[in-house]
Amino acid sequence: MHEETVKQWDRDNAGEKHIAPEGIECPKHVAIVGLGLIGGSLARRLRESGCHVSAWNHRDHPYANARAAGIDCKDTLEELVREDPDVLVLCNPLMAMPEVLGTIKPLINPDKTTLTDVGSVKAPVRAQVREVGLLDCYVGAHPMAGNERSGWVAADPSLFDDALWAVTFGPTTQYRRVVQIAGMITRGVRNTMIMLDDETHDREASLISHMPHVVSTALINEMSNDPNNAIASALSAGSWRDMTRVALTDPDRTRAMVVENSVNVEELLHRMIDRLSEIADALHEGDDTEIKRFFAEGQPYRDYKAQLNGTRLSDSTETVFRSIRIDPEHWREQLLKSAQHGEYIVRFTSGHRLIAEQRPNIRAK
Amino acid sequence: MHEETVKQWDRDNAGEKHIAPEGIECPKHVAIVGLGLIGGSLARRLRESGCHVSAWNHRDHPYANARAAGIDCKDTLEELVREDPDVLVLCNPLMAMPEVLGTIKPLINPDKTTLTDVGSVKAPVRAQVREVGLLDCYVGAHPMAGNERSGWVAADPSLFDDALWAVTFGPTTQYRRVVQIAGMITRGVRNTMIMLDDETHDREASLISHMPHVVSTALINEMSNDPNNAIASALSAGSWRDMTRVALTDPDRTRAMVVENSVNVEELLHRMIDRLSEIADALHEGDDTEIKRFFAEGQPYRDYKAQLNGTRLSDSTETVFRSIRIDPEHWREQLLKSAQHGEYIVRFTSGHRLIAEQRPNIRAK
């Protein structure tokens, strides 16, 4: 059985000439749709690694500079797709996705080209890819890179310095596509990655980003409506500034992000409401035990952050790398478990084996 | 009537030799209880201004350095109080307040000495001062200064650079005490101030600090309990880091602060719960109008911050100063209104007149 599935994998990868025994390399030709902050930075980063990068943007104003940076800019999206790139990366906004996918669908050669994207919410993209029937050649991706700027003018390959990517799979995702995208990320962009399903990605993204954005917005709403807000803002210091900084970024962008992930955000808001109700009740009742419990509950996270800081400040630290043999039948469970254990994938050394770095974990008390 | 109240004020101030016509100066002799981060920094700052500063600390380990900095360190609290300083500043922790006030009570000459403190929650301090019957010579104060460090070793006069003080009054606070404390703050510490009642102070402090600390703590509690928190922390970036930074500071200190101000924190938590419930419901129902309203509601605060940034980055800005004649009968209402209008008191030019700087305001749409 094991033998057979390995053979299956080998059959799947028969056309992948660039899978060398010394490790999975970056695909030779990556095509990028959209030369904004992320697409532009990614294109320049991949060029730095010697990859052939072609691109199309809905307006051609970045083309002169992009061409000077060695990027092969195409006049039409059709032209970009017809060249059968190894990987086609959708860096366009989510709202342009139906139109872009509609254009790609009749032209893409799904045997030759793997489709991926860089959106920060994964399930809606997969749904749209499913809609046009391109699921079999699709792998989701979300690089933890970005800043508050936008457009080609802000594009900078260093945006990807030390970035981690979340790469997402569904039940029908082909393993060879995942390995190919891993090659692009680890060799081409020189980043690390974790692998997981879209649902887990979107739930955890709502915990660390989308829900906190809503909470921060609720704080500035309270301030805006406070009759004594001149006094409140006079008294405000670092804690207020930190907690409200994200509410100052473009509210339309935040709203779009929250709405894309609304089910998870709603669930986490209810969890926050429960937590805040419990501590409000404890304060009301003067329940010292419960109040102490509330302030102690997050200690595992404080300890984890202290450990990270200690590692950063130490002169000499040890990093544990694990070499993992991938079982071609259970790769999804295996890779998800690796992510859940706090491992970052550093490189695929072959189609069957990868190296992962063990990162510090939040440990329950 | 007006004439009469002015005369009354002059009578009140008969003993205040240092109220010179050119403006209210720093009191000649300030005594400080507690040479920690705030007390130590304040003592050194006042010394820099040429003020005679005496001090007592519950342990004498900072005395050698403090004396080298020109601070007259006393062996006992009794000795400090018996010298009849113009102002006695309580910089001890709140939990030491009953003992400190008990020692001070029989020795203080309330006609000669004005009592003040630097606590971040004002009503509990006033309650303790009332308890020992020293309310008539007391004025509350809260400098917006501090960092995560503590103790004399961290004391630094630059901690007070550009700091704002909240100075609080009650129904029986004597106006001349307020003017005297203003002299210490504006001339001695070279800071600005706003004046308000304790209740308003504590309510607004809970909005911009105590309640957000609880919210931030609830976020790390959620993270600590999340079964996929290795993935969540891998995905986390700037927004999560900003929103949880305050939850990483000493949880016991945060807890003490929240409990001191529990009524206001509880009320504001309920307001936050209502706001989060509303947006959770809107997300559930896909109510775009309500979702848009939520993200637009804080726009006055975003505009205010953009205005502040614009002012900071501009080459040339205009500051409006207002000279305010104090009505001795309605000084509380007048000074509170000034704070509510976003004015910072720069200096008292006489017992009857002050100069205030108009600061940008959060404007309702």
Side-chain angles (χ1 to χ4, degrees):
Chain A
M1 179 63 161
H2 184 253
E3 197 63 6
E4 195 178 359
T5 50
V6 170
K7 273 181 199 151
Q8 175 60 38
W9 191 90
D10 288 339
R11 267 201 303 283
D12 284 351
N13 287 280
E16 303 274 338
K17 296 286 187 295
H18 53 272
I19 298 188
E22 69 273 16
I24 304 299
E25 287 174 12
C26 182
K28 296 236 175 323
H29 178 189
V30 177
I32 307 229
V33 178
L35 286 173
L37 175 69
I38 298 293
S41 300
L42 181 62
R44 292 181 57 190
R45 183 93 173 181
L46 287 167
R47 268 306 296 148
E48 283 184 353
S49 295
C51 181
H52 172 52
V53 179
S54 56
W56 171 78
N57 194 59
H58 71 304
R59 289 188 302 166
D60 66 2
H61 62 85
Y63 279 13
N65 283 321
R67 282 176 179 139
I71 297 159
D72 178 15
C73 299
K74 301 293 181 189
D75 291 334
T76 64
L77 176 54
E78 287 82 349
E79 217 181 315
L80 188 80
V81 180
R82 276 205 198 100
E83 281 195 341
D84 293 345
D86 298 310
V87 176
L88 181 62
V89 192
L90 304 177
C91 301
N92 50 278
L94 188 73
M95 51 176 253
M97 211 50 99
E99 196 185 331
V100 167
L101 285 170
T103 305
I104 289 172
K105 166 65 185 170
L107 302 170
I108 195 170
N109 180 346
D111 290 336
K112 294 275 289 180
T113 299
T114 294
L115 187 65
T116 186
D117 76 303
V118 293
S120 59
V121 186
K122 301 317 308 167
V125 180
R126 184 173 300 274
Q128 302 203 43
V129 171
R130 184 185 297 112
E131 192 93 353
V132 294
L134 290 174
L135 218 47
D136 286 354
C137 70
Y138 173 74
V139 175
H142 173 205
M144 307 304 127
N147 56 37
E148 69 297 342
R149 301 180 65 200
S150 62
W152 167 264
V153 289
D156 180 351
S158 72
L159 196 76
F160 283 92
D161 284 356
D162 299 319
L164 173 80
W165 291 58
V167 175
T168 65
F169 49 73
T172 64
T173 302
Q174 296 170 359
Y175 180 69
R176 73 172 177 101
R177 310 286 186 166
V178 162
V179 176
Q180 194 180 30
I181 295 299
M184 180 183 85
I185 292 169
T186 61
R187 305 293 293 270
V189 199
R190 307 178 309 279
N191 285 165
T192 52
M193 56 185 268
I194 60 174
M195 293 218 49
L196 65 170
D197 57 282
D198 300 275
E199 294 66 34
T200 303
H201 173 278
D202 291 354
R203 204 167 50 236
E204 301 311 313
S206 80
L207 168 57
I208 53 83
S209 171
H210 310 148
M211 178 273 282
H213 271 80
V214 171
V215 170
S216 185
T217 303
L219 286 172
I220 70 161
N221 292 356
E222 185 65 38
M223 174 68 101
S224 290
N225 284 292
D226 188 304
N228 279 319
N229 57 25
I231 291 169
S233 56
L235 300 182
S236 73
S239 59
W240 175 260
R241 193 183 56 231
D242 289 348
M243 296 279 298
T244 54
R245 193 179 285 122
V246 295
L248 300 180
T249 56
D250 181 5
D252 291 329
R253 193 151 82 168
T254 304
R255 178 166 50 83
M257 195 171 72
V258 165
V259 168
E260 278 172 37
N261 201 8
S262 62
V263 174
N264 288 308
V265 173
E266 185 200 337
E267 190 194 315
L268 268 161
L269 284 174
H270 283 300
R271 293 179 65 87
M272 277 296 280
I273 289 165
D274 289 347
R275 290 185 183 279
L276 298 182
S277 299
E278 277 169 32
I279 181 67
D281 289 350
L283 288 170
H284 186 82
E285 287 154 24
D287 181 345
D288 282 343
T289 309
E290 176 58 22
I291 295 169
K292 277 189 181 150
R293 195 203 57 73
F294 176 83
F295 282 100
E297 195 177 355
Q299 198 56 40
Y301 183 73
R302 290 189 198 98
D303 294 342
Y304 157 78
K305 290 293 284 185
Q307 191 192 349
L308 281 185
N309 265 336
T311 304
R312 199 165 49 78
L313 297 175
S314 170
D315 287 336
S316 155
T317 58
E318 259 180 29
T319 306
V320 175
F321 291 96
R322 199 157 77 91
S323 168
I324 305 174
R325 171 126 183 65
I326 303 298
D327 176 349
E329 243 187 310
H330 301 106
W331 61 271
R332 289 180 187 79
E333 301 85 323
Q334 232 183 337
L335 291 169
L336 175 60
K337 197 165 277 182
S338 164
Q340 287 170 327
H341 285 170
E343 291 172 351
Y344 287 9
I345 298 169
V346 172
R347 183 159 307 182
F348 276 71
T349 49
S350 76
H352 311 286
R353 193 171 278 281
L354 61 81
I355 296 174
E357 177 190 342
Q358 179 63 57
R359 305 277 301 177
N361 271 323
I362 303 165
R363 294 188 194 288
K365 286 207 284 193
Chain B
M1 179 63 159
H2 185 253
E3 197 62 5
E4 197 178 359
T5 50
V6 171
K7 274 183 198 150
Q8 176 60 39
W9 190 88
D10 288 339
R11 267 200 304 281
D12 283 351
N13 287 281
E16 302 275 336
K17 296 287 188 293
H18 52 274
I19 299 186
E22 69 273 21
I24 304 299
E25 286 174 12
C26 181
K28 295 234 176 329
H29 177 190
V30 177
I32 306 228
V33 178
L35 287 173
L37 174 69
I38 299 292
S41 300
L42 181 62
R44 291 182 57 191
R45 183 94 173 180
L46 287 166
R47 268 307 296 150
E48 283 184 352
S49 296
C51 181
H52 172 53
V53 179
S54 56
W56 171 80
N57 194 61
H58 72 302
R59 290 188 300 165
D60 66 3
H61 62 87
Y63 279 13
N65 283 321
R67 282 178 179 138
I71 297 159
D72 178 15
C73 298
K74 301 293 182 188
D75 291 335
T76 63
L77 176 55
E78 288 81 350
E79 217 180 318
L80 188 80
V81 180
R82 275 205 198 99
E83 282 196 339
D84 293 345
D86 297 310
V87 176
L88 182 62
V89 191
L90 305 176
C91 302
N92 50 276
L94 188 73
M95 53 175 254
M97 212 50 100
E99 195 185 332
V100 167
L101 284 170
T103 306
I104 288 171
K105 166 65 186 173
L107 302 170
I108 195 171
N109 180 347
D111 291 334
K112 293 274 290 179
T113 299
T114 295
L115 187 65
T116 186
D117 76 305
V118 294
S120 59
V121 187
K122 301 317 307 169
V125 179
R126 184 173 301 274
Q128 302 203 44
V129 171
R130 183 184 298 113
E131 192 93 348
V132 293
L134 290 174
L135 220 46
D136 287 352
C137 70
Y138 172 72
V139 175
H142 173 206
M144 306 304 127
N147 56 37
E148 69 297 342
R149 302 181 62 200
S150 62
W152 168 264
V153 288
D156 180 351
S158 72
L159 197 76
F160 283 93
D161 284 355
D162 299 319
L164 172 81
W165 291 58
V167 174
T168 65
F169 49 73
T172 63
T173 302
Q174 296 170 358
Y175 180 69
R176 74 171 177 99
R177 309 286 185 167
V178 163
V179 176
Q180 194 179 30
I181 295 300
M184 180 183 85
I185 292 169
T186 61
R187 305 293 294 270
V189 199
R190 306 177 312 277
N191 284 164
T192 52
M193 58 184 266
I194 60 173
M195 293 217 49
L196 65 172
D197 56 283
D198 299 277
E199 294 68 32
T200 303
H201 173 278
D202 291 353
R203 204 167 50 237
E204 301 311 312
S206 80
L207 168 57
I208 53 83
S209 171
H210 311 148
M211 178 272 283
H213 270 80
V214 172
V215 170
S216 185
T217 303
L219 286 172
I220 71 162
N221 292 356
E222 186 65 38
M223 173 68 102
S224 290
N225 285 292
D226 188 304
N228 279 319
N229 56 26
I231 291 169
S233 55
L235 301 182
S236 72
S239 59
W240 175 261
R241 193 184 54 231
D242 289 349
M243 295 281 298
T244 55
R245 192 178 287 121
V246 295
L248 300 179
T249 56
D250 180 5
D252 292 328
R253 192 152 81 170
T254 304
R255 179 166 49 85
M257 194 171 71
V258 166
V259 168
E260 278 172 36
N261 201 8
S262 62
V263 174
N264 288 308
V265 173
E266 185 200 339
E267 191 194 314
L268 268 161
L269 285 174
H270 283 299
R271 295 178 64 85
M272 277 296 280
I273 289 165
D274 289 347
R275 290 184 183 280
L276 299 181
S277 300
E278 278 169 31
I279 182 67
D281 290 349
L283 288 170
H284 187 81
E285 288 154 23
D287 181 346
D288 283 344
T289 309
E290 176 58 22
I291 295 169
K292 277 190 182 152
R293 194 202 59 71
F294 176 83
F295 282 100
E297 194 177 355
Q299 197 55 41
Y301 183 72
R302 290 189 199 98
D303 294 342
Y304 157 78
K305 290 293 283 186
Q307 189 192 350
L308 280 186
N309 264 336
T311 304
R312 200 166 46 79
L313 298 174
S314 169
D315 287 336
S316 157
T317 57
E318 259 181 26
T319 305
V320 175
F321 291 95
R322 199 156 76 92
S323 169
I324 305 174
R325 173 130 183 60
I326 303 298
D327 175 351
E329 242 187 312
H330 301 107
W331 61 271
R332 289 179 187 79
E333 300 87 323
Q334 231 182 338
L335 291 169
L336 176 60
K337 197 165 278 182
S338 165
Q340 288 170 326
H341 285 170
E343 291 172 350
Y344 287 9
I345 297 170
V346 172
R347 183 159 306 182
F348 276 71
T349 48
S350 77
H352 310 288
R353 192 171 278 281
L354 61 82
I355 296 175
E357 177 190 343
Q358 180 63 57
R359 305 278 301 177
N361 270 323
I362 303 167
R363 292 186 197 287
K365 284 207 285 194

